[in-house]
């Protein structure tokens, strides 16, 4: 068992206090940068107060659930803090959700108000499910209001067909300006950081049914401070944090929004990932901190015509959400001259549990040391009440101020998510003698192969060692003899070639016989989740359909 409890406690207050402190200490410093247009902390604070007053006028307060369905724009930050200031709960929605997902999440969470941009693709889907899911109001935010002058003018003029069509008189829609107009002054609300739920963060968890992890104000502020203390190299009011990961995902909510706000730093908001635009933004805006997922760093490593000088402002990159192959880390560090550290966490833990220390030893293949005040326990897979020792593999369980209260309206799933008071992550791992955590795999991804546990992650790591492989995913498929057997899917680096036979021959030297995939398939693209993690679900479904046609 590994412990790391600090003497002096981590601050765990209301989330809006982070912004209030930044406004007081760094009011004149840039807070948001969207396509070159900037807002200072002072301006952001005023916008948040106005939005909060408008929401109060609409009856929003403690107990209300307000949804955010926005790409990364200043509205995401303004409304996040405004909703929290009223004492209400933020429900994060992906703007890429299809109607079925929107319907489920609105109804399950009890969201009654949704904030959307005036972009037809997003607005039309939300509007189409409003009546049946229980949504009472849609607040529509004008893109023109946040774009730099010329871009806003061009958007209005040439992108008419992309703009949302709605009428304010229909009892459902409200323009943002109307909602804020004449709202008067914001009335302060007392927030109990320990018990008030700040965010319902929807996640599949280990059982796959999307459910809302209840994250309190204390969970979120504690995690922001835990990470700041753990990395120990962020300069208040100095850093420029690149926000390309979507803010509706917990990784970015903490690392791209809460942490920079806690430090009074600039957030560079990037509404969608496009490799060349992203590289141009890093170079132009001189980003210093860049939280990302492994697929983004892989894409940068393989970017055609990459000029490494453009990455020279970067000081620290933080990878999370999925395994970071050692090869990808080394290559990126070589190109950028900047440290790339891997961390680990979940929606249920607000999210960070462990990270490699940028100023300490970074270990290949490890997700690092627990952040302050966090306890990691490895528990026996067969008997979860038994805590295992150094080097032994079992389920990773965690305790700390960032662990959620439970799943919204799901007492049974909540009970199952804890053992002896520790949160069960559903990940399998071990801790080495220095206290570093290594993830072996997820419980549900483990392949049961002729009586052996085969960990896909080991085979994926081996595939990344091949110079032609850009991305690799391994899943378990039905096998007549072994019950299940591994199958690999890869994409190749631009300009490189390899055949499945060559990759299999390469693997014979890298993995054991039992781990040898029964096939390697080369694809143009691999499925990814909304945050950009390689996703296995679609490949598993495809293979299942092939093996057992309906
Ligand atoms: P989510 O709640 O959607 O962010 O997913 C959390 C899950 O992502 C964890 O339970 C892990 O399985 C996986 N994960 C997060 N970070 C890492 C990492 N650094 N390496 C491997 N898996 C990770």
């Amino acid at each position: 068992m590994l412990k790391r409890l600090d003497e002096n406690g981590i601050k765990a207050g209301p989330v809006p206090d982070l912004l209030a402190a930044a406004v007081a200490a760094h009011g004149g410093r840039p807070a948001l940068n969207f396509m070159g247009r900037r807002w200072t902390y002072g301006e952001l604070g005023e916008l948040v107060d106005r939005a909060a007053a408008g929401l109060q006028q609409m009856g929003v307060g403690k107990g209300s659930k307000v949804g955010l369905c926005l790409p990364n724009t200043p509205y995401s930050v303004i409304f996040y803090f405004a909703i929290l200031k009223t004492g209400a709960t933020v429900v994060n929605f992906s703007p890429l959700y299809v109607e079925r997902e929107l319907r489920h999440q609105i109804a399950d969470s009890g969201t009654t108000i949704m904030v959307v941009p005036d972009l037809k693709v997003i607005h039309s889907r939300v509007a189409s499910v409003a009546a049946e899911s229980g949504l009472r109001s849609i607040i529509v935010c004008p893109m023109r209001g946040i774009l730099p002058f010329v871009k806003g003018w061009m958007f209005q003029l040439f992108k008419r067909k992309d703009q949302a069509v709605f009428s304010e008189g229909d009892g459902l829609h409200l323009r943002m300006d109307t909602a804020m107009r004449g709202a008067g002054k914001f009335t302060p609300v007392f927030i109990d950081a320990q018990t008030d739920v700040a965010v319902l963060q929807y996640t599949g968890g280990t059982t796959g049914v999307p459910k809302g992890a209840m994250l309190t104000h204390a969970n979120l502020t504690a995690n922001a401070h835990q990470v700041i203390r753990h990395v120990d190299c962020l300069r208040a009011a100095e850093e420029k944090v690149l926000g390309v990961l979507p803010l509706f995902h917990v990784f970015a909510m903490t690392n791209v929004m809460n942490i920079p706000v806690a430090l009074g730093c600039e957030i560079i908001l990037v509404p969608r990932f496009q490799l060349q635009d992203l590289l141009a933004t890093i170079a132009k805006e001189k980003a210093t901190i860049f939280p990302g997922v492994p697929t983004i760093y892989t894409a940068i490593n393989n970017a055609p015509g990459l000029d490494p000088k453009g990455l020279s402002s970067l000081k620290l990159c933080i990878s999370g959400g999925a395994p970071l192959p050692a090869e990808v880390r080394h290559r990126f560090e070589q190109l950028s001259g900047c440290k790339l550290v891997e961390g680990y966490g979940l929606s249920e833990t607000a999210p960070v549990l462990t990270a490699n220390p940028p100023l300490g030893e970074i270990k290949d293949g490890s997700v690092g040391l627990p952040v302050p005040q966090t306890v990691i326990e490895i528990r026996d897979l067969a008997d979860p009440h038994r805590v295992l020792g150094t080097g032994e593999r079992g389920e990773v369980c965690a305790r700390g101020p960032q662990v959620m209260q439970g799943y919204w309206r799901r007492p049974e799933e909540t009970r199952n998510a804890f053992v002896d008071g520790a949160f069960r992550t559903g990940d399998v791992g071990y801790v080495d003698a220095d206290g570093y955590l290594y993830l072996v795999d997820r419980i549900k991804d483990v392949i049961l192969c002729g009586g052996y546990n085969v960990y896909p992650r080991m085979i994926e790591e081996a595939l990344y060692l091949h110079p032609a492989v850009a991305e690799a995913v391994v899943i378990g498929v039905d096998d007549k003899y072994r019950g299940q057997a591994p199958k690999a899917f890869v994409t190749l680096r631009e300009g490189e070639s390899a055949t499945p036979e060559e990759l299999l021959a390469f693997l014979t030297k890298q993995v054991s016989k039992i781990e040898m995939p029964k096939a390697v398939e080369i694809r143009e693209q691999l499925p990814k989740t909304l945050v950009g993690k390689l996703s296995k679900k679609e490949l598993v479904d495809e293979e299942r359909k092939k093996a057992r046609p309906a």
Side-chain angles (χ1 to χ4, degrees), residues 201-206 249-251 294 319-324 342-349 351 353-354 365-367 423-428 439-445 457 529 531 533:
Q201 188 65 28
Y202 274 74
T203 168
T206 38
H249 190 270
V250 67
F251 182 25
S319 175
L324 174 70
E342 180 171 11
Y344 159 65
L346 301 87
S347 300
E348 290 90 335
T349 58
L353 287 174
T354 69
S366 168
V367 292
F423 172 67
R424 306 178 66 163
T425 65
D427 294 308
V428 184
L439 296 178
V440 182
D441 234 306
R442 286 184 69 102
I443 288 177
K444 63 178 180 179
D445 289 344
R457 169 106 191 245
T529 67
V531 74
K533 298 193 212 182

Side-chain angles (χ1 to χ4, degrees), residues 195-350:
T195 54
D196 285 352
V197 176
V199 173
L200 284 184
Q201 188 65 28
Y202 274 74
T203 168
T206 38
T207 59
V209 190
K211 43 197 179 289
M214 293 188 281
L215 300 176
T216 60
H217 284 259
N219 289 152
L220 292 168
T221 48
N223 202 234
H225 290 297
Q226 287 174 306
V227 175
I228 291 169
R229 290 264 295 280
H230 190 75
V231 301
D232 205 21
C233 62
L234 303 176
R235 299 158 304 169
E238 295 283 326
E239 309 298 351
K240 296 176 170 200
V241 182
L242 190 74
V244 64
L245 292 179
L247 290 170
F248 59 77
H249 190 270
V250 67
F251 182 25
M253 186 166 63
T254 290
N255 289 286
V256 173
M257 185 160 56
N258 293 343
I259 290 177
V261 169
L263 291 168
C265 292
E266 179 173 336
I267 305 171
I268 305 164
L269 292 162
V270 179
R272 70 180 161 151
F273 171 62
Q274 278 177 326
L275 182 57
Q276 293 305 333
D277 289 354
L278 181 75
L279 293 170
T281 304
I282 297 173
K284 179 162 176 271
E285 305 295 346
K286 306 230 175 320
T288 61
I289 311 291
F290 173 17
V293 287
T295 49
I296 295 185
Y297 300 115
T298 305
I300 293 179
N301 284 349
N302 299 323
L306 175 76
D307 176 7
K309 281 204 295 294
L311 302 172
S312 61
S313 59
L314 292 173
K315 197 177 88 179
L316 177 64
C317 293
I318 306 160
S319 175
L324 174 70
E327 157 63 19
V328 174
R329 174 165 84 85
H330 292 304
R331 204 177 150 96
F332 183 84
E333 287 189 338
Q334 229 172 32
L335 284 170
S336 64
C338 144
K339 287 237 167 98
L340 170 55
V341 297
E342 180 171 11
Y344 159 65
L346 301 87
S347 300
E348 290 90 335
T349 58

Side-chain angles (χ1 to χ4, degrees), residues 1 376-380 383-389 392 420:
M1 180 163 76
I376 295 289
E377 297 165 354
I378 305 295
R379 287 175 175 258
D380 192 341
D383 172 13
H385 296 291
R386 204 164 79 84
V387 176
L388 303 177
E392 291 184 289
D420 302 336

Side-chain angles (χ1 to χ4, degrees), residues 17-150:
D17 286 6
L18 300 179
L19 179 63
V23 171
H26 311 290
R29 302 279 307 167
L32 306 177
N33 175 343
F34 184 60
M35 300 188 167
R37 185 169 164 189
R38 286 186 171 76
W39 288 259
T40 63
Y41 271 98
E43 289 165 335
L44 175 61
E46 275 174 30
L47 286 166
V48 167
D49 281 353
R50 270 187 52 208
L55 289 168
Q56 279 183 330
Q57 187 174 248
M58 292 172 72
V60 172
K62 283 210 177 187
S64 311
K65 309 285 180 302
V66 184
L68 294 179
C69 192
L70 297 159
N72 285 4
T73 62
Y75 293 128
S76 322
V77 184
I78 295 166
F79 275 95
Y80 171 81
F81 281 100
I83 295 164
L84 295 177
K85 241 184 138 155
T86 67
T89 300
V90 168
V91 186
N92 278 320
F93 288 79
S94 161
L96 298 178
Y97 276 165
V98 295
E99 278 87 346
R100 179 180 48 77
E101 293 164 306
L102 284 169
R103 215 179 286 123
H104 165 75
Q105 200 174 303
I106 295 170
D108 188 82
S109 59
T111 296
T112 52
I113 299 176
M114 186 80 88
V115 184
V116 302
D118 65 345
L119 294 172
K120 193 189 264 171
V121 277
I122 300 171
H123 164 265
S124 62
R125 266 180 280 128
V126 172
S128 76
V129 302
E132 46 181 327
S133 55
L135 209 56
R136 288 207 296 268
S137 301
I138 301 178
I139 300 179
V140 188
C141 304
M143 289 305 292
R144 192 179 172 186
I146 47 169
L147 287 166
F149 181 75
V150 176

Side-chain angles (χ1 to χ4, degrees), residues 349-366:
T349 58
V352 186
L353 287 174
T354 69
N356 276 282
L359 305 180
E361 187 182 0
I362 299 175
K363 293 200 185 191
D364 268 344
S366 168

